[in-house]
């Protein structure tokens, strides 16, 4: 779990390196993405991944599936 993907990460700062490291090693990453940063997130991940609503049931099912 990484705190969140926001403006700093989209600009190449913040925890971007940690995101890259986890993703390239195949580690499942759970993070929050503010709506205003969603387009940047999709660009950063090239559309790979699953977007979940902020709901425990969806989170638990995602975790079970992986």
């Amino acid at each position: 779990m990484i705190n969140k993907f926001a403006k700093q990460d989209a600009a190449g700062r913040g925890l971007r390196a940690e995101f890259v490291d986890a993703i390239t090693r195949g580690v499942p990453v759970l993070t929050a993405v503010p709506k205003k940063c969603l387009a940047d997130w999709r660009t950063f991940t090239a559309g790979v991944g699953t977007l979940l609503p902020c709901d425990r049931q969806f989170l638990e099912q995602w975790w079970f599936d992986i």
Side-chain angles (χ1 to χ4, degrees):
M1 178 181 246
I2 301 176
N3 185 34
K4 69 178 175 179
F5 181 90
K7 274 182 142 179
Q8 293 290 329
D9 310 293
R13 296 182 300 275
L15 295 174
R16 187 181 183 105
E18 286 76 5
F19 280 107
V20 170
D21 182 52
I23 292 168
T24 58
R25 289 190 298 122
V27 175
V29 174
L30 178 64
T31 192
V33 180
K35 286 182 184 181
K36 64 183 177 185
C37 297
L38 191 53
D40 291 326
W41 174 255
R42 287 184 172 142
T43 298
F44 174 67
T45 61
V48 175
T50 303
L51 293 177
L52 302 172
C54 187
D55 181 284
R56 184 179 178 144
Q57 177 183 346
F58 287 96
L59 173 62
E60 288 177 355
Q61 186 62 52
W62 171 80
W63 184 247
F64 178 76
D65 291 345
I66 62 164

